[in-house]
Amino acid sequence: MAQVPPMPAVDATEWVKQDNGLEIWDATVGEGDEVKPGAKVTVHYTGWLTNGKMFDSSVSRGQTISFSLNQVIKGWQVGIPGMKPGGVRRLKIPSDLGYGAAGAGRDIPPNATLIFEVELISSK
């Protein structure tokens, strides 16, 4: 089983804040064609709350996941386009671009900021 990456530092200087509040940190820039908005992507990802609690990881399951960017939270819809295959991007997603006041399931509380590390395997 692959090793789950450590959570990126919440206060690292590498984060670049976007106008919509999303923060992006390209840990590795991939090669090839950039992901377009609404594309179908295959990724490996790990997600954490800002307190360091991991709530989900395709890495720990050992299986990539494929989905259309139109099917996921807004932070991914706007944070994944521009990535290139092989790239690793970290996303710090404010609550209003994540699950908002509702939260999600038992693991994501209301109004939570989410941290993701996403490795782009492919897109179409």
Side-chain angles (χ1 to χ4, degrees), residues 6-23:
M7 185 178 109
V10 175
D11 57 357
T13 57
E14 289 88 349
W15 292 108
V16 177
K17 193 161 192 167
Q18 313 296 303
D19 290 342
N20 58 12
L22 176 70
E23 295 184 54

Side-chain angles (χ1 to χ4, degrees), residues 3-81:
Q3 184 72 31
V4 174
M7 185 178 109
V10 175
D11 57 357
T13 57
E14 289 88 349
W15 292 108
V16 177
K17 193 161 192 167
Q18 313 296 303
D19 290 342
N20 58 12
L22 176 70
E23 295 184 54
I24 293 176
W25 171 358
D26 280 317
T28 304
V29 176
E31 295 182 6
D33 295 334
E34 289 188 357
V35 173
K36 306 280 189 277
K40 181 173 182 184
V41 297
T42 299
V43 302
H44 255 315
Y45 71 93
T46 301
W48 300 267
L49 301 175
T50 54
N51 66 5
K53 179 180 188 239
M54 185 179 81
F55 59 81
D56 195 11
S57 178
S58 68
V59 178
S60 68
R61 290 191 296 275
Q63 285 190 301
T64 58
I65 185 168
S66 300
F67 51 84
S68 165
L69 289 177
N70 295 330
Q71 299 173 308
V72 292
I73 60 173
K74 188 78 173 160
W76 281 51
Q77 290 179 31
V78 296
I80 302 296

